[in-house]
Amino acid sequence: MTTHTIPSIATRAPDQLRTVRIQRGFTMHAEGSVLISVGNTQVLCTASVEEKVPPHKKGSGEGWVTAEYGMLPRATNTRGSREAARGKQTGRTQEIQRLIGRSLRAVFDLKKLGERTIHLDCDVIQADGGTRCASITGAYVAAQDAVSWLLARGLIAESPVLHPVAAVSVGIVQGLPVLDLDYAQDSACDTDMNVVMTGAGHYVEVQGTAEGAAFSRAEMDRLLELAEKGIGELIAMQKQSLLI
Amino acid sequence: MTTHTIPSIATRAPDQLRTVRIQRGFTMHAEGSVLISVGNTQVLCTASVEEKVPPHKKGSGEGWVTAEYGMLPRATNTRGSREAARGKQTGRTQEIQRLIGRSLRAVFDLKKLGERTIHLDCDVIQADGGTRCASITGAYVAAQDAVSWLLARGLIAESPVLHPVAAVSVGIVQGLPVLDLDYAQDSACDTDMNVVMTGAGHYVEVQGTAEGAAFSRAEMDRLLELAEKGIGELIAMQKQSLLI
Amino acid sequence: MTTHTIPSIATRAPDQLRTVRIQRGFTMHAEGSVLISVGNTQVLCTASVEEKVPPHKKGSGEGWVTAEYGMLPRATNTRGSREAARGKQTGRTQEIQRLIGRSLRAVFDLKKLGERTIHLDCDVIQADGGTRCASITGAYVAAQDAVSWLLARGLIAESPVLHPVAAVSVGIVQGLPVLDLDYAQDSACDTDMNVVMTGAGHYVEVQGTAEGAAFSRAEMDRLLELAEKGIGELIAMQKQSLLI
Amino acid sequence: MTTHTIPSIATRAPDQLRTVRIQRGFTMHAEGSVLISVGNTQVLCTASVEEKVPPHKKGSGEGWVTAEYGMLPRATNTRGSREAARGKQTGRTQEIQRLIGRSLRAVFDLKKLGERTIHLDCDVIQADGGTRCASITGAYVAAQDAVSWLLARGLIAESPVLHPVAAVSVGIVQGLPVLDLDYAQDSACDTDMNVVMTGAGHYVEVQGTAEGAAFSRAEMDRLLELAEKGIGELIAMQKQSLLI
Amino acid sequence: MTTHTIPSIATRAPDQLRTVRIQRGFTMHAEGSVLISVGNTQVLCTASVEEKVPPHKKGSGEGWVTAEYGMLPRATNTRGSREAARGKQTGRTQEIQRLIGRSLRAVFDLKKLGERTIHLDCDVIQADGGTRCASITGAYVAAQDAVSWLLARGLIAESPVLHPVAAVSVGIVQGLPVLDLDYAQDSACDTDMNVVMTGAGHYVEVQGTAEGAAFSRAEMDRLLELAEKGIGELIAMQKQSLLI
Amino acid sequence: MTTHTIPSIATRAPDQLRTVRIQRGFTMHAEGSVLISVGNTQVLCTASVEEKVPPHKKGSGEGWVTAEYGMLPRATNTRGSREAARGKQTGRTQEIQRLIGRSLRAVFDLKKLGERTIHLDCDVIQADGGTRCASITGAYVAAQDAVSWLLARGLIAESPVLHPVAAVSVGIVQGLPVLDLDYAQDSACDTDMNVVMTGAGHYVEVQGTAEGAAFSRAEMDRLLELAEKGIGELIAMQKQSLLI
């Protein structure tokens, strides 16, 4: 599993994605279970179908799609404290899982889902930058498998999925706009932007942050171009992985 | 205090800010204390100077700028539960206070601040949309007052503030790009974007979310233009309020 | 708002209240919203009507009146930590909100209120001693406004309010019995007593604490006299504020 | 242990204490360990000496006296939930332990105690009204034993205890002022007052609450008289128990 | 109560239990209330009947038996922090109360109990080793009293208790297998084993832990023999205490 | 990864282990990182070296070995709630991680480790019974890799590992003693025993629980024999995996 050939930072072109691998059926219990690798980042995304909805959807005839995100304590270079042991999720964790949930709901017709919930659990096994984007891209594939499971059992008549959705980070590293930042690039960059887009080429989320110097409109335009290119490629890989 | 003339939703132009009022010295204890009103949204922003820094800055010679955000239970139309009573802050609260902190740090030279912290507390007294943006815009003025307090006491020799910073929300309401959404517009919009910019016209944060339909590149461009116009006006008002 | 003429500690007579100001309709969403200022102490008291009751009142035909209390982090001279961020309310906060709730319930006929709850939120914007007493005095006015709102909508036929209720602190400062302690007096006093009385001149709560030397029966008698005088004046101000 | 002859509610005079029993040395590990029984109420009060002080006393040369209070789940007629299992202390518990701590500190010269802490743990084994008052009365005896322990080891040269301190509840039951309410009386009473006094006949705490009808000044005067009588008797019993 | 004659560590034979005392009816409110003393260890075990079951038993026609365990802060030689104040139970506490609950359920026919719960609260008043075993042995007697209470009121027709159950610790202290370890022995031992057995001589729980050197099969066999002897004696004492 | 040939429940002999697979170097950051599969159970065990010790070991010259355990929400057939989101670890989780920690410490000479900590994180990726035993068996291999890392860097001169350690569950299923229960067997069994043994054939932990009928001494003897056989095989596999 750890034998991918990763283009090194030195050799990868600034507009080139890291090597991506999408493994469906990674674990046996979940309705959808995907291990996505983006470079050295590995996230296990499972989709679980539950035949009930949260209180604000009860009786609405609509379903719900929600996400939780976690990182194994030693997914990172230095061991992080276990959130379950500390007794609460960090602000960063909550921010990320809210982002994943919103991104997936953006491509779901909740009426067609019926009064049930799809839980997307994104757990980072190994981190090397871009974990939230890998989570979104992988969760889409897991969600599709859960939808197929529902269709196969006749629980829904029609797919509630409107479009594919995928995400990538872009940033300005030492003055250079770069696609798909790894951890070293992310730590060194001035601006970091996470972009979530649908298969139709529309934005679901754009979250740009100046870590160092604030960024100009021209830089923003270049970053959005890079993101569009990368997301196009990711959506193609999602489609291919779902063919099998 | 509640006698402002607010352009009604019907009469306000899509590229017009709501009435903004910035009151400095609103409470007596804080080094900076600003009540900012943006339409019916009212946020009390205080800046408190503390002569120590969090652990990750100890011994660095650098200071820290951080923010906390809260909403009084009946700031909203329906009473919300009190976070202190529930025993934890929601994900939304944490997301907002992280955004305010990052936005203010982006215009601070932490070295010039010296090893001390400026705490920005943004408490929403009355909510009608745009509370995170009003918090950033008001917190900047409170932070400036705290900096003046430090300069006046000779605790710092030079202002650590690099630029003004302000924020505004923009969105697409019924197909129409609109500046500075109030609660009714925010609830009805397809896309909601919070933009934080410096006085130099650069972006600090761009956070766009498709609540309904995903948005195109052309729509995004129009929203960024509106935001730029609004932030320019807000920064002019900040400057004027600081002259007095 | 900060232009009141406050009798200074030096010039105020020992049996004289600080300047009191009661502003109704301070915020727009709540059924009752009162900013009460007692000297430099400012508390925003809102009354929110909710059409349900806590479990122990379900099916009883009776309503409930309850209170929550909070202090903005920089309401005080030194910034206090935010209870929502720390994840729990202090013992002091819980003690105060229980006192406010009991005091208000003492003047309510819960049967006449019907199966609904009035939530009283008392949030201290600026603190200079006597915040719990100002909260009770202000919450009564906010509660009256909520009752008027219920009567105006025909939700109740008759007011459930039996009496006005107000509170004041008294104490022995450097051997001298003093009415309505500000923060400096409170910090220096030997005995501090909070007294809650109805418009009929009866006691609802008497909470006296010897901070330094224990106090004699004669001192207690003098303190109760001062409190009775002060509460009489506060209830007159409540009535006047409700006339408008 | 449960064979005391308790004057029944019917036969006990309104100004008569319930049977009181004070057993020192009840458990073997603590520096002071007292089981106090007041009628059917039984509280185990232990005093533990710790050779350090809380942060706000560090380097002050002064000690600290503090209290914690708990109730075994089945101390009461209906099993209460265990606070440790629920993960937080109720407001009532916190209010009571703050009262016990303040009451004991009122009779301690913290300078003479030196930089150490006396922890008073008051755990209710069986409840039948008046548990906070029994806790204070018993904790005083346990604290005295801890002081004797410190004196015997030469850790302090002189007793830091200034006066005895004891507490009793009084109330108005069906119009009649009554001393030392048991649970049935407490549940039925209109006014409930807890009084803490020193051996010198001065008040440390007076906490009166109108549960039903508010109370007049004349009623208050009668309650204070009853409390003074009861506390005089309790202090005599404390002294006697310490002779052995 | 503290006048038992305890065989000293020096004089007690390695296969001899410490002095055991079982006092029924120790407190007045609970359906079963037992103070069990095993040497200097004293645990108050109460059994409370509640006419409802936890969610996983609702509608099953079966009842539930569950336990909670606590230790008073100064039950031990050094004061421990109060779990209710710290806001959570330690892992040790949870492990022990799960063990007590499983042990008691093992001798209950939950069908015959009907849809109600018996709560067993085991609170350690004084600790000198073996508190979890004393809790199980005492809780059985308290549970029997609760069952008698149910039978006497006709709430159940037949006892749901299948067997007596008791527990004892055994261990290897300086190479010597010893029955019923006190605190000093427990701290010094290499292996500590808690054994729970029924009156029929069968095992309910065996929990052996090598604190120091791992133990051999021969040592294990000897420890099981000692435990069987001790539990036989404990069950005889339980029976005798229930005769009265 | 999911292509192992697992002996089915029907075909596996009662004294036969499930297929075991031990993959070292599973993730890239940790000093030791092992994915252990036992049948369909998969646990990721990482060992992290930290150059400090918990407070109770400070200045002792000794190190510490500790474990944390978690289960991904969809490791099981039905999605479990995420402990980080619920804000606390269950009693089961705490019991298991204490067991893993004790088991590993039993084969470590903490003096030879020096004042540093080895954290063992055992995260269940897929659960099918026996997760705590697989965690111990896998954590031993990860710990060995961390020790090799320390030796290779000259941070320790000599291995602190005294013996191999491994664990297996045994139980009585429909009257038949069975080795290495899978989830279906575990759910159906009367007695479940987890046994931890060293390479020297000694017991570190024996935890037997009667889920249904209590078990006899003869049954216990048979279960211990099966465990000894299984652990012997597991230790052989650990050794072999460490040769590579």
Side-chain angles (χ1 to χ4, degrees), chain A residues 13-50:
Chain A
D15 68 347
Q16 192 184 347
L17 286 178
R18 292 180 283 174
T19 303
V20 176
R21 186 169 165 204
I22 296 172
Q23 290 176 259
R24 288 165 60 213
F26 187 76
T27 56
M28 71 183 190
H29 295 301
E31 284 74 44
S33 174
V34 167
L35 184 76
I36 183 165
S37 310
V38 178
N40 286 322
T41 289
Q42 297 185 345
V43 186
L44 173 53
C45 307
T46 60
S48 301
V49 174
E50 188 188 21

Tab-separated table of all heavy atoms in Angstrom, chain A residues 13-50:
chain	number	residue	atom	x	y	z
A	13	ALA	N	5.279	19.228	-11.384
A	13	ALA	CA	5.022	20.560	-11.949
A	13	ALA	C	4.029	21.293	-11.052
A	13	ALA	O	3.217	20.669	-10.376
A	13	ALA	CB	4.453	20.415	-13.364
A	14	PRO	N	4.075	22.635	-11.042
A	14	PRO	CA	3.199	23.400	-10.152
A	14	PRO	C	1.717	23.185	-10.431
A	14	PRO	O	0.894	23.438	-9.559
A	14	PRO	CB	3.591	24.861	-10.426
A	14	PRO	CG	4.917	24.808	-11.086
A	14	PRO	CD	5.010	23.484	-11.788
A	15	ASP	N	1.380	22.741	-11.622
A	15	ASP	CA	-0.042	22.532	-11.935
A	15	ASP	C	-0.374	21.038	-12.008
A	15	ASP	O	-1.374	20.653	-12.605
A	15	ASP	CB	-0.402	23.235	-13.257
A	15	ASP	CG	0.274	22.587	-14.450
A	15	ASP	OD1	1.196	21.769	-14.246
A	15	ASP	OD2	-0.118	22.920	-15.585
A	16	GLN	N	0.471	20.216	-11.352
A	16	GLN	CA	0.267	18.759	-11.414
A	16	GLN	C	-0.244	18.242	-10.071
A	16	GLN	O	0.295	18.591	-9.008
A	16	GLN	CB	1.618	18.106	-11.730
A	16	GLN	CG	1.522	16.651	-12.111
A	16	GLN	CD	2.906	16.033	-12.320
A	16	GLN	OE1	3.916	16.747	-12.417
A	16	GLN	NE2	2.970	14.715	-12.353
A	17	LEU	N	-1.290	17.410	-10.107
A	17	LEU	CA	-1.781	16.760	-8.888
A	17	LEU	C	-0.757	15.749	-8.405
A	17	LEU	O	0.010	15.215	-9.199
A	17	LEU	CB	-3.070	15.991	-9.180
A	17	LEU	CG	-4.367	16.742	-9.396
A	17	LEU	CD1	-5.477	15.728	-9.714
A	17	LEU	CD2	-4.754	17.548	-8.168
A	18	ARG	N	-0.781	15.434	-7.093
A	18	ARG	CA	-0.019	14.285	-6.614
A	18	ARG	C	-0.703	13.007	-7.117
A	18	ARG	O	-1.841	13.053	-7.600
A	18	ARG	CB	0.007	14.299	-5.070
A	18	ARG	CG	0.821	15.474	-4.525
A	18	ARG	CD	0.829	15.462	-3.009
A	18	ARG	NE	-0.436	15.961	-2.483
A	18	ARG	CZ	-0.757	15.953	-1.200
A	18	ARG	NH1	0.083	15.454	-0.299
A	18	ARG	NH2	-1.915	16.432	-0.786
A	19	THR	N	-0.031	11.884	-6.978
A	19	THR	CA	-0.629	10.620	-7.383
A	19	THR	C	-1.865	10.332	-6.531
A	19	THR	O	-1.810	10.411	-5.308
A	19	THR	CB	0.377	9.467	-7.197
A	19	THR	OG1	1.523	9.781	-7.950
A	19	THR	CG2	-0.222	8.137	-7.645
A	20	VAL	N	-2.953	9.996	-7.187
A	20	VAL	CA	-4.209	9.748	-6.490
A	20	VAL	C	-4.592	8.285	-6.670
A	20	VAL	O	-4.460	7.734	-7.772
A	20	VAL	CB	-5.329	10.652	-7.044
A	20	VAL	CG1	-6.664	10.319	-6.389
A	20	VAL	CG2	-4.973	12.119	-6.839
A	21	ARG	N	-5.050	7.678	-5.570
A	21	ARG	CA	-5.507	6.291	-5.662
A	21	ARG	C	-6.794	6.175	-4.864
A	21	ARG	O	-6.874	6.642	-3.722
A	21	ARG	CB	-4.420	5.382	-5.073
A	21	ARG	CG	-4.710	3.917	-5.231
A	21	ARG	CD	-3.482	3.099	-4.877
A	21	ARG	NE	-3.814	1.703	-4.684
A	21	ARG	CZ	-3.121	0.874	-3.962
A	21	ARG	NH1	-2.009	1.298	-3.342
A	21	ARG	NH2	-3.482	-0.389	-3.837
A	22	ILE	N	-7.791	5.581	-5.459
A	22	ILE	CA	-9.100	5.440	-4.812
A	22	ILE	C	-9.427	3.951	-4.717
A	22	ILE	O	-9.591	3.286	-5.728
A	22	ILE	CB	-10.195	6.182	-5.634
A	22	ILE	CG1	-9.900	7.699	-5.652
A	22	ILE	CG2	-11.577	5.917	-5.065
A	22	ILE	CD1	-10.793	8.514	-6.570
A	23	GLN	N	-9.504	3.419	-3.466
A	23	GLN	CA	-9.814	1.987	-3.284
A	23	GLN	C	-11.199	1.834	-2.696
A	23	GLN	O	-11.425	2.220	-1.535
A	23	GLN	CB	-8.823	1.361	-2.294
A	23	GLN	CG	-7.417	1.235	-2.810
A	23	GLN	CD	-6.528	0.686	-1.711
A	23	GLN	OE1	-5.805	1.469	-1.082
A	23	GLN	NE2	-6.559	-0.608	-1.442
A	24	ARG	N	-12.123	1.287	-3.439
A	24	ARG	CA	-13.479	1.055	-2.914
A	24	ARG	C	-13.503	-0.274	-2.133
A	24	ARG	O	-12.627	-1.116	-2.296
A	24	ARG	CB	-14.486	1.024	-4.046
A	24	ARG	CG	-14.713	2.430	-4.616
A	24	ARG	CD	-15.402	2.388	-5.952
A	24	ARG	NE	-16.700	1.750	-5.860
A	24	ARG	CZ	-17.262	1.023	-6.812
A	24	ARG	NH1	-16.606	0.845	-7.964
A	24	ARG	NH2	-18.433	0.468	-6.636
A	25	GLY	N	-14.494	-0.432	-1.287
A	25	GLY	CA	-14.645	-1.683	-0.519
A	25	GLY	C	-13.489	-1.940	0.418
A	25	GLY	O	-13.105	-3.086	0.661
A	26	PHE	N	-12.914	-0.888	0.990
A	26	PHE	CA	-11.721	-1.045	1.822
A	26	PHE	C	-12.040	-1.772	3.130
A	26	PHE	O	-11.247	-2.575	3.602
A	26	PHE	CB	-11.103	0.321	2.108
A	26	PHE	CG	-9.791	0.238	2.808
A	26	PHE	CD1	-8.633	-0.128	2.099
A	26	PHE	CD2	-9.673	0.488	4.166
A	26	PHE	CE1	-7.396	-0.230	2.751
A	26	PHE	CE2	-8.443	0.385	4.818
A	26	PHE	CZ	-7.315	0.027	4.102
A	27	THR	N	-13.177	-1.481	3.732
A	27	THR	CA	-13.606	-2.258	4.905
A	27	THR	C	-14.948	-2.896	4.591
A	27	THR	O	-15.620	-2.504	3.636
A	27	THR	CB	-13.715	-1.381	6.173
A	27	THR	OG1	-14.605	-0.295	5.898
A	27	THR	CG2	-12.352	-0.848	6.598
A	28	MET	N	-15.347	-3.883	5.412
A	28	MET	CA	-16.433	-4.746	4.965
A	28	MET	C	-17.822	-4.369	5.471
A	28	MET	O	-18.816	-4.787	4.911
A	28	MET	CB	-16.129	-6.194	5.359
A	28	MET	CG	-16.243	-6.453	6.844
A	28	MET	SD	-15.773	-8.194	7.225
A	28	MET	CE	-16.280	-8.320	8.934
A	29	HIS	N	-17.927	-3.601	6.578
A	29	HIS	CA	-19.246	-3.380	7.169
A	29	HIS	C	-20.029	-2.231	6.532
A	29	HIS	O	-21.254	-2.294	6.437
A	29	HIS	CB	-19.116	-3.118	8.671
A	29	HIS	CG	-18.594	-4.271	9.463
A	29	HIS	ND1	-19.208	-5.489	9.504
A	29	HIS	CD2	-17.504	-4.392	10.270
A	29	HIS	CE1	-18.531	-6.313	10.296
A	29	HIS	NE2	-17.480	-5.679	10.766
A	30	ALA	N	-19.333	-1.148	6.130
A	30	ALA	CA	-20.034	0.070	5.705
A	30	ALA	C	-20.690	-0.073	4.339
A	30	ALA	O	-20.234	-0.851	3.501
A	30	ALA	CB	-19.058	1.245	5.683
A	31	GLU	N	-21.753	0.706	4.115
A	31	GLU	CA	-22.442	0.689	2.824
A	31	GLU	C	-21.527	1.246	1.730
A	31	GLU	O	-21.644	0.894	0.564
A	31	GLU	CB	-23.760	1.470	2.911
A	31	GLU	CG	-24.852	0.680	3.633
A	31	GLU	CD	-24.628	0.618	5.135
A	31	GLU	OE1	-24.287	1.651	5.733
A	31	GLU	OE2	-24.785	-0.479	5.727
A	32	GLY	N	-20.653	2.167	2.111
A	32	GLY	CA	-19.605	2.641	1.208
A	32	GLY	C	-18.323	2.760	2.009
A	32	GLY	O	-18.346	3.232	3.135
A	33	SER	N	-17.206	2.311	1.452
A	33	SER	CA	-15.956	2.364	2.203
A	33	SER	C	-14.809	2.569	1.234
A	33	SER	O	-14.499	1.679	0.442
A	33	SER	CB	-15.762	1.068	2.999
A	33	SER	OG	-14.487	1.059	3.620
A	34	VAL	N	-14.203	3.746	1.317
A	34	VAL	CA	-13.200	4.140	0.329
A	34	VAL	C	-11.929	4.583	1.044
A	34	VAL	O	-11.992	5.396	1.958
A	34	VAL	CB	-13.767	5.303	-0.521
A	34	VAL	CG1	-12.669	5.960	-1.340
A	34	VAL	CG2	-14.895	4.801	-1.414
A	35	LEU	N	-10.787	4.044	0.620
A	35	LEU	CA	-9.510	4.612	1.057
A	35	LEU	C	-8.985	5.453	-0.096
A	35	LEU	O	-8.702	4.924	-1.175
A	35	LEU	CB	-8.478	3.532	1.413
A	35	LEU	CG	-7.168	4.134	1.965
A	35	LEU	CD1	-7.362	4.581	3.409
A	35	LEU	CD2	-6.013	3.167	1.862
A	36	ILE	N	-8.883	6.751	0.169
A	36	ILE	CA	-8.324	7.619	-0.867
A	36	ILE	C	-6.912	8.024	-0.451
A	36	ILE	O	-6.668	8.389	0.698
A	36	ILE	CB	-9.224	8.856	-1.117
A	36	ILE	CG1	-8.632	9.700	-2.273
A	36	ILE	CG2	-9.412	9.704	0.114
A	36	ILE	CD1	-9.579	10.725	-2.842
A	37	SER	N	-5.977	7.898	-1.402
A	37	SER	CA	-4.615	8.365	-1.168
A	37	SER	C	-4.347	9.502	-2.137
A	37	SER	O	-4.582	9.365	-3.334
A	37	SER	CB	-3.601	7.256	-1.451
A	37	SER	OG	-3.961	6.070	-0.782
A	38	VAL	N	-3.863	10.602	-1.614
A	38	VAL	CA	-3.437	11.726	-2.458
A	38	VAL	C	-2.008	11.995	-2.022
A	38	VAL	O	-1.774	12.513	-0.933
A	38	VAL	CB	-4.345	12.947	-2.261
A	38	VAL	CG1	-3.846	14.105	-3.118
A	38	VAL	CG2	-5.791	12.606	-2.593
A	39	GLY	N	-1.071	11.571	-2.825
A	39	GLY	CA	0.308	11.569	-2.368
A	39	GLY	C	0.379	10.696	-1.123
A	39	GLY	O	-0.163	9.584	-1.101
A	40	ASN	N	1.015	11.188	-0.093
A	40	ASN	CA	1.122	10.411	1.145
A	40	ASN	C	-0.057	10.574	2.084
A	40	ASN	O	-0.086	9.977	3.155
A	40	ASN	CB	2.403	10.774	1.889
A	40	ASN	CG	3.620	10.179	1.219
A	40	ASN	OD1	3.563	9.055	0.725
A	40	ASN	ND2	4.710	10.930	1.183
A	41	THR	N	-0.991	11.411	1.713
A	41	THR	CA	-2.199	11.566	2.530
A	41	THR	C	-3.143	10.404	2.267
A	41	THR	O	-3.417	10.091	1.109
A	41	THR	CB	-2.876	12.918	2.218
A	41	THR	OG1	-2.050	13.958	2.747
A	41	THR	CG2	-4.264	13.017	2.811
A	42	GLN	N	-3.585	9.757	3.350
A	42	GLN	CA	-4.520	8.629	3.207
A	42	GLN	C	-5.703	8.843	4.130
A	42	GLN	O	-5.536	8.976	5.347
A	42	GLN	CB	-3.835	7.325	3.598
A	42	GLN	CG	-2.650	6.984	2.695
A	42	GLN	CD	-2.069	5.632	3.030
A	42	GLN	OE1	-2.352	5.062	4.087
A	42	GLN	NE2	-1.236	5.108	2.144
A	43	VAL	N	-6.903	8.830	3.564
A	43	VAL	CA	-8.116	9.031	4.362
A	43	VAL	C	-9.076	7.888	4.093
A	43	VAL	O	-9.330	7.555	2.935
A	43	VAL	CB	-8.806	10.372	4.020
A	43	VAL	CG1	-9.978	10.622	4.963
A	43	VAL	CG2	-7.819	11.527	4.079
A	44	LEU	N	-9.582	7.302	5.180
A	44	LEU	CA	-10.616	6.275	5.042
A	44	LEU	C	-11.973	6.963	5.151
A	44	LEU	O	-12.284	7.577	6.169
A	44	LEU	CB	-10.452	5.214	6.141
A	44	LEU	CG	-11.539	4.147	6.253
A	44	LEU	CD1	-11.793	3.441	4.920
A	44	LEU	CD2	-11.179	3.116	7.312
A	45	CYS	N	-12.762	6.889	4.095
A	45	CYS	CA	-14.075	7.529	4.049
A	45	CYS	C	-15.136	6.433	4.015
A	45	CYS	O	-15.179	5.666	3.057
A	45	CYS	CB	-14.228	8.380	2.786
A	45	CYS	SG	-12.905	9.571	2.522
A	46	THR	N	-15.973	6.382	5.053
A	46	THR	CA	-17.054	5.404	5.012
A	46	THR	C	-18.384	6.130	4.959
A	46	THR	O	-18.549	7.208	5.513
A	46	THR	CB	-17.048	4.476	6.246
A	46	THR	OG1	-17.206	5.258	7.428
A	46	THR	CG2	-15.760	3.675	6.348
A	47	ALA	N	-19.339	5.515	4.285
A	47	ALA	CA	-20.704	6.048	4.220
A	47	ALA	C	-21.620	5.045	4.900
A	47	ALA	O	-21.606	3.868	4.560
A	47	ALA	CB	-21.117	6.242	2.769
A	48	SER	N	-22.375	5.521	5.898
A	48	SER	CA	-23.285	4.649	6.652
A	48	SER	C	-24.704	5.160	6.486
A	48	SER	O	-24.971	6.343	6.688
A	48	SER	CB	-22.927	4.673	8.140
A	48	SER	OG	-21.597	4.234	8.352
A	49	VAL	N	-25.590	4.257	6.139
A	49	VAL	CA	-26.996	4.628	5.982
A	49	VAL	C	-27.714	4.373	7.299
A	49	VAL	O	-27.588	3.308	7.898
A	49	VAL	CB	-27.649	3.785	4.871
A	49	VAL	CG1	-29.146	4.065	4.797
A	49	VAL	CG2	-26.970	4.063	3.526
A	50	GLU	N	-28.431	5.372	7.770
A	50	GLU	CA	-29.232	5.204	8.994
A	50	GLU	C	-30.666	5.565	8.664
A	50	GLU	O	-30.916	6.615	8.046
A	50	GLU	CB	-28.694	6.117	10.099
A	50	GLU	CG	-29.335	5.860	11.458
A	50	GLU	CD	-28.915	6.919	12.489
A	50	GLU	OE1	-28.487	8.012	12.074
A	50	GLU	OE2	-29.027	6.664	13.680
